[in-house]
Amino acid sequence: MTEHQAVQLFKCLSDATRLQIVKSLRQGPSYVELLAQRLERTPSTISFHLKKLEEAGLVESQKEQYYAVYSLKNEAFSARIIDIICEKSDEADAQQEREALYRKKVLDTFIQHGKLLSIPVQRKKKRIILEKIAGCFEPGRIYTEKQVNLIIADFHDDFCTLRRDLISEGIMERDGRGYWLKNG
C-alpha cells in the first residue's frame, strides 16, 4: 500500500458514517437502500459515502438487475497498521535532501575557514556542529583530555564548553581512561 493510499484509507475511515457502512458490509454485500435503512440515513447520503469508500479502494460494486450491490474489498483491510507505517515514505528522499541542505546551511553559517564563529544556542544547530567536530576523532580510539582539547581548540577557543557538550549530547563518552566516540 502506497503512502497516498494509506492516507486515503485513514481519511475515509475517519468518518463515522463510512465506518458504520464498512461494519455493515462486513456482514455481507448490500445495496444502497438497505444500507440506508440499516443505518437510518438517506440513500443519497449512503451513495455519497459509498463513492468515497470506492475511490479509496475499500469497497467495490457489482450490478445486479436494477441495483448496485456493494461489498468490501477484503485485501484493502488485510494490511496491518505497522506494515503501513514501516513502508518507505514517498517523501523520504526529499526529506533527506532537505535535511542535508539544512545541515550544510548551518555548517556554512557557523564555520568559516575551518573555525567555529560562535557556538549555536539552538540545540539542533549545536548538534550539527558537534557532529562535525566529532568527525575529527577516530572511532575506537581513546583520547586524553589534552588531546581532545587540542582537537576542539582547532575549531573554537571555548574547548571546555564544546567538550562538555560532546559528552552531554552522547556523542562522546569518558571515564578514567579518557575520552572516545560513543559509537566507536
Side-chain angles (χ1 to χ4, degrees), residues 107-154:
L107 292 171
D108 290 347
T109 301
F110 286 93
I111 297 177
Q112 290 182 359
H113 307 294
K115 290 286 187 184
L116 180 61
L117 300 175
S118 64
I119 299 172
V121 175
Q122 191 178 48
R123 185 172 183 215
K124 184 177 179 180
K125 291 177 181 177
K126 186 188 290 188
R127 176 77 189 202
I128 291 169
I129 297 300
L130 293 173
E131 288 170 354
K132 171 72 173 170
I133 293 170
C136 295
F137 294 93
E138 294 176 33
R141 181 174 166 195
I142 297 176
Y143 293 86
T144 65
E145 187 170 307
K146 184 177 180 179
Q147 290 171 320
V148 171
N149 291 345
L150 287 172
I151 291 170
I152 296 172
D154 284 344

Side-chain angles (χ1 to χ4, degrees), residues 95-112:
Q95 185 177 349
Q96 285 179 343
E97 189 176 318
R98 286 191 296 271
E99 287 175 15
L101 287 171
Y102 178 77
R103 185 176 185 80
K104 183 182 180 332
K105 181 180 173 188
V106 169
L107 292 171
D108 290 347
T109 301
F110 286 93
I111 297 177
Q112 290 182 359

Side-chain angles (χ1 to χ4, degrees), residues 123 126-127 130 161-172:
R123 185 172 183 215
K126 186 188 290 188
R127 176 77 189 202
L130 293 173
T161 298
L162 291 170
R163 185 184 67 235
R164 278 192 304 270
D165 289 343
L166 283 165
I167 300 297
S168 67
E169 282 291 322
I171 296 171
M172 293 188 84

Side-chain angles (χ1 to χ4, degrees), residues 4 8 12 48-59:
H4 177 71
Q8 276 192 303
C12 210
F48 169 80
H49 289 295
L50 281 168
K51 182 179 181 210
K52 295 288 186 186
L53 288 164
E54 204 166 18
E55 287 171 358
L58 300 175
V59 299

